Structures are given as C-alpha cells and as structure tokens.
Amino acid sequence: MSGSTDRSLGRRTFVLGATAAAVSATALTPTAAAASFGYTDDGSNYVIDTGANLVFKVSKTNGDLTSLVYRGTEYQGYGGKNSHVESGLGTSTVTIAQSGSTILVSVAYGTLKHYYAARSGENNVYLWTNKADTSVSATRYIVRVKAGLFLNDEPDSYTYAPTTIESADVFAKSDGQTRSKHYSKRRVIDYDYIGWTTGSVGLWIVRSNHEKASGGPFYRSLLRHQSADGGGLYEILYYGENQTESERFGLQGPYVIAFTDGGAPSSSLYPANLTTSWADSLGISGYVAAGGRGKVAGVGIAGRNTAYAYTVGLANSAAQYWGSARASDGYYSIAGVLPGTYTLTVFKGELAVHTTSVAVTAGATTTLNTITIPSSNDPDNASAIWRIGAWDGTPSGFKNADLMTYAHPSDVRAASWTGNVVVGSGTETSAFPCYLWKDVNSGIVVYFKLTAAQAAAAHTLRIGVTTAYANGRPQIVVNDTWTSAVPSPPTQPSTRSLTVGSYRGNNYTFAYSVPTSAWLTDTSAYNTLKIYVASGSGATSFLSAGTSIDAVDLLT
C-alpha cells in the first residue's frame, strides 16, 4: 500500500528461530459465557474476553478478526480491512465453544479450516490454519494494525513512497532509497517473532514451527509492512515468490498474536519451546499431539569447516524441520517431527554438503551416529589457483550483498553494479557484484595472473550461483579468444527474486573446462575472464535475466 504522509508503525525485535512445537487433538462443547473469561455474541461477532487485558472479536460471517482491544485501545484495522487468512476467506461457517480455561473459534471455508483459541488469563490469540488443497492461493495470516500506534523506526518495509518502480509493490523515495513489503532482512531460521513496541505496549506475531510451510530454514518472505494507513504483521504459511519447493498441505500452527507490556513475547511461546497439551482435546482438524511425534538426534558431524555454522534439515513432501548443529562437535536434535521418512540434509552456511535418509517413528527418538561429510562434498576443499568469495550457498561478502536483503538493486545506497575485479588486490570479493544481470552488468571482467606452470595446463573454472531470474546463467570468455558454450539453465524459481530481497533459490555450480591454449604465456600479463549472462528471457534493467553469485574459482 502507499499513502501521503510518513507516519505509522515501526519497531520490531528478532530472536533466532528454532524448530518444532509439539501440538495435539478432540472436541469442545458450547457453554454459556463466563463473567470475566468467556465469550458473548453481539449479533455479528463472537466477542472473546481472555480475562486478562485482551478482548477480541471474530466475525460470525467470514471468520475475520474484526477487533483487537488491549488495555482499552483498539489495535485492529486499517483501510477498512480486518485481520484474516489470505485477503479474507469470504462466507464461512463459524462456530465457538468453551471448555474450562480454553475457548476455540472454528472457521470452515470449503476445504480450509482455521482456528482461533484463547486461554484464560493470557493476552494471546493462538491460531491454526489447515489448508487441504489449492482452492485458496498463497496462505498467510495478516494482522492489520491501525496507523499511529507504533513508531516507524525500521523503515525499509514502509511502503509509502512517491514513485512505483516495480510491479506496484516496490517504491522509491525522493532521496533514492527504496521500500517494499518484501524487504524483511530475515530468513525463517533467524526469528521467532516479529512485531512492534512502544516501550509500554508490544504487539507481536510469534511464528509457528513452519512444518507444513515450504522453502526450508533459509527461505525469505515478507514479515510485515507499513503504510500511511497502518501496518500488517504476517505469518506466511506458503508463499510462491522465489519458492524452491512444492506446496505442503495440512495443519500449520499454532502461531500466536501476543500483546505484552512493551517487552518481547514470552519465550514459552517460541516455536522450539511451545507446548500445547491443552489443545489436545479441541478437535482441531489435522492436529497431532506430542505423543504422535518423534525425534531425531545426531551424535555429531565430522568433516566440518568450523568457520561456518551448520544446520541440519529434514524434509519430505509432507513436512519440514531443522535444527542447528553444535559448534563444538556438530551434535543436533530435532523434536516434534511427524512420523515418516525424511531426507536429512547437512548445510554448511546455506550450502547442502551431505544428504542421507532417516525414518521417524511416533513416540521414539531416532539416534544417528556421527555423520562424516566427504571432503569432495564441500567445494571449498578443492585446491584453487584463486577463489573469489566462499562456498557457503550465499552471496555474502560480495558487493551489495547485505543491502539486497532489504533494498531494490536500484537503491541509491547500492555501490555501482559495474567495475573490474583484480585477483590478488585484497578487494576481489568486495569488488565483485553479488548479482549479475544481462541488461545491467553482464561482461564483468576479472583480471588474474598465472605462473608459467599454471599457464601450461588446462584448468576448470567454477561459478556457483544461489538462484537465477528468467533463466539467467553465466557464459565465460577468456582473454577474448576462448568462449564457453552456453550452459543449460538449472531448475530455479520462476518468480522474482533478486529485486524482492531474496537470493535463496537452488544452489548450482557451473564448471567450465578451459584449455591450455586460452591462457597467456606472458606471466607478467593479466589474463582476463569476462562473465556474461546468457538468456533469451526476462525484461530490461534489473528485471532482465540475472543470477546471484556464491563463489568463483579457478582450480589447480
């Protein structure tokens, strides 16, 4: 959204993300409203009083959250819109029931089921969403918050700007800085909650364990946005932009709308910590209790490069999970896993360096012996004449890499996307642009020298990429005399990526066999490597065919 004044929402706090919360399932029976904790029916909405400082309303017509009143202040709503699944479900069957200290609102919209739960004495709303098929498109929940209630102190996702520069969702201010709801800066693994605080009131969404989401631990998606009309906090359950996996279906949650007196939400709500045995008997569709889940624990990981963080991921067509490997020995533990057979992937940074299969059984722990990563699985272990960047599955260290997670490539804060690179200068990585586009900086030149022995041999040149747009892939020319074939494009997401804050696609390594005849025999002269972007697809400028760089090296 855009607006006409630079006011509205702002501060957010992040905590490192984690893995699964254990949750479970049966049925509530309707009861009369209680005096404090309880619910009433105002004709249009079910009105739920948590018995603490929070009263919220759910529409009886469509399941929208129509009111969020905390300590007497209404926080819900901007632009005449409610908080809801996707952009609102439409006419639904909405029911409510209370059992002891829990109230559950159930929303049925075709094959989609959505739930709100309140607990006596808590300023939280617990939510679950069960999407069974594609009858509803992208799955997300949006908490829409009134303007002017929080300060705008992290402005990159603030969508008010006078000029639209891309697809009606990326904007430029008069000073050349760019803004978009896509610019979240965070991967899923990096945060447990997202929101704002005034210092005396905090409003947060605590994310779910994302077991039925797609894209893995390093997926990036919009988390919040701000405009002159108000702001939105998101729990993205499935989003197609720069998506690397097929959509998973089934119950997601709980995720939590949490109010505080200004501080962070309780760590007991974080996805790694949350237990919800109180929900076991609520009859939530698709709910699996803790006893119906298993655990994977690994003794350790050998063959690691200890300069990097390692993550262990589990994935199959039905679910995904992940956990961090301990720095000292690579020990890992992933709990709350649905039964099934999973592909276990070890990531060095964001680069997959080992895979195996693991079976998970309900109520049991699958213990794995030490995994040894073969040396050949880590491209950093290959002996190189020179190397630009590091093989970690990200463009980290390259020019503009950090900025691109929260700005458009045209942003005034970006360094020039062109310029030559000299191996041995000490600045070869920081001078090399993180992204290459056919219409922007194709043909970047890398200068390097070879010894007589090196020039007398053929060598393999490798270019690692992390994603591509419009089938952009590198073609190389050495010393203006030898040109590689145009490589086939690897499988990559078909949507925007490089311009919406995400380099996360499918890591792929291009290898080029350069013959001896291509090198200069004068050891005092610089050889030249020109890297072009080949593709007949894409538009112009930053929407021309492009790719994100992981590393470039020339092997011995």
Side-chain angles (χ1 to χ4, degrees):
M1 296 179 64
S2 61
S4 58
T5 58
D6 192 4
R7 62 186 174 85
S8 173
L9 302 165
R11 187 175 309 153
R12 62 181 177 180
T13 305
F14 295 96
V15 174
L16 284 180
T19 51
V23 290
S24 353
T26 41
L28 292 170
T29 54
T31 68
S36 180
F37 173 73
Y39 70 88
T40 57
D41 182 341
D42 70 4
S44 300
N45 307 279
Y46 292 120
V47 183
I48 297 95
D49 190 329
T50 65
N53 297 300
L54 176 63
V55 178
F56 64 95
K57 297 181 181 181
V58 178
S59 168
K60 294 167 58 180
T61 301
N62 57 21
D64 283 2
L65 190 66
T66 60
S67 176
L68 270 173
V69 175
Y70 178 68
R71 294 192 178 277
T73 299
E74 176 66 79
Y75 285 84
Q76 151 59 39
Y78 69 82
K81 297 181 179 180
N82 297 321
S83 300
H84 41 220
V85 174
E86 192 50 11
S87 296
L89 293 177
T91 302
S92 305
T93 300
V94 184
T95 59
I96 190 168
Q98 179 177 337
S99 177
S101 59
T102 303
I103 293 171
L104 183 73
V105 178
S106 303
V107 181
Y109 177 75
T111 60
L112 186 142
K113 313 296 182 186
H114 180 70
Y115 303 91
Y116 302 90
R119 296 278 289 161
S120 178
E122 295 186 14
N123 293 311
N124 304 318
V125 183
Y126 298 85
L127 303 94
W128 289 263
T129 305
N130 189 335
K131 182 180 177 183
D133 51 41
T134 59
S135 57
V136 175
S137 58
T139 307
R140 60 189 178 183
Y141 194 89
I142 309 174
V143 179
R144 302 188 185 272
V145 184
K146 283 185 173 182
L149 296 176
F150 298 96
L151 297 175
N152 175 35
D153 65 350
E154 289 203 27
D156 297 300
S157 64
Y158 184 71
T159 58
Y160 165 69
T163 305
T164 301
I165 61 173
E166 185 177 300
S167 192
D169 60 7
V170 184
F171 308 92
K173 294 179 62 181
S174 58
D175 63 3
Q177 291 193 11
T178 53
R179 301 287 186 261
S180 176
K181 65 183 180 181
H182 297 287
Y183 297 154
S184 66
K185 301 183 184 180
R186 295 295 186 271
R187 309 168 302 173
V188 177
I189 196 174
D190 293 332
Y191 75 97
D192 287 322
Y193 58 91
I194 184 79
W196 300 294
T197 179
T198 65
S200 58
V201 174
L203 172 55
W204 319 94
I205 280 190
V206 184
R207 71 167 176 85
S208 68
N209 67 354
H210 279 222
E211 70 179 359
K212 296 290 186 178
S214 298
F218 313 122
Y219 186 66
R220 294 174 184 267
S221 188
L222 58 157
L223 300 180
R224 59 151 203 175
H225 81 272
Q226 303 166 315
S227 74
D229 298 323
L233 298 177
Y234 295 83
E235 165 71 339
I236 298 294
L237 303 177
Y238 179 77
Y239 201 63
E241 196 130 58
N242 208 34
Q243 181 58 254
T244 58
E245 295 184 300
S246 298
E247 184 173 9
R248 295 181 173 94
F249 299 106
L251 185 69
Q252 302 225 50
Y255 48 105
V256 186
I257 302 170
F259 281 91
T260 70
D261 290 337
S266 170
S267 60
S268 65
L269 299 177
Y270 298 173
N273 303 329
L274 182 60
T275 57
T276 54
S277 57
W278 51 266
D280 290 359
S281 60
L282 298 187
I284 294 173
S285 174
Y287 186 86
V288 179
R293 295 169 177 269
K295 179 179 179 180
V296 175
V299 172
I301 303 172
R304 292 173 298 121
N305 181 335
T306 55
Y308 295 88
Y310 282 71
T311 302
V312 177
L314 303 176
N316 61 21
S317 61
Q320 62 171 8
Y321 308 90
W322 55 82
S324 297
R326 193 160 61 193
S328 60
D329 56 8
Y331 169 83
Y332 56 92
S333 177
I334 305 172
V337 180
L338 293 172
T341 299
Y342 294 84
T343 297
L344 182 152
T345 303
V346 178
F347 296 93
K348 169 199 171 190
E350 296 184 17
L351 183 67
V353 292
H354 183 75
T355 61
T356 188
S357 181
V358 60
V360 179
T361 304
T365 297
T366 301
T367 303
L368 301 178
N369 294 326
T370 296
I371 290 173
T372 299
I373 301 170
S375 178
S376 59
N377 284 14
D378 184 345
D380 257 335
N381 291 333
S383 180
I385 297 170
W386 53 260
R387 178 168 291 139
I388 303 174
W391 292 92
D392 65 355
T394 81
S396 177
F398 287 107
K399 182 164 62 175
N400 295 326
D402 290 342
L403 180 67
M404 287 302 95
T405 63
Y406 62 93
H408 190 269
S410 65
D411 196 290
V412 68
R413 294 169 288 180
S416 173
W417 287 104
T418 58
N420 299 327
V421 177
V422 181
V423 173
S425 64
T427 61
E428 51 264 57
T429 298
S430 60
F432 198 106
C434 63
Y435 299 162
L436 299 176
W437 291 271
K438 185 175 183 178
D439 202 34
V440 176
N441 55 356
S442 182
I444 187 170
V445 183
V446 178
Y447 293 90
F448 59 97
K449 292 181 178 181
L450 297 176
T451 66
Q454 291 165 346
H459 298 289
T460 296
L461 184 129
R462 302 185 300 183
I463 300 176
V465 303
T466 70
T467 195
Y469 176 69
N471 288 327
R473 66 270 198 196
Q475 181 183 27
I476 66 170
V477 176
V478 177
N479 290 320
D480 294 323
T481 60
W482 183 86
T483 302
S484 73
V486 177
S488 299
T491 300
Q492 296 288 6
S494 60
T495 60
R496 287 180 299 164
S497 53
L498 308 180
T499 59
V500 290
S502 178
Y503 58 78
R504 177 76 271 126
N506 294 313
N507 287 100
Y508 186 82
T509 301
F510 295 91
Y512 310 85
S513 297
V514 185
T516 306
S517 59
W519 311 123
L520 300 180
T521 57
D522 181 356
T523 59
S524 66
Y526 279 101
N527 290 265
T528 60
L529 165 68
K530 294 180 180 178
I531 304 175
Y532 294 89
V533 176
S535 176
S537 304
T540 60
S541 188
F542 297 109
L543 287 178
S544 63
T547 191
S548 170
I549 304 298
D550 181 9
V552 182
D553 59 18
L554 184 66
L555 300 186
T556 56

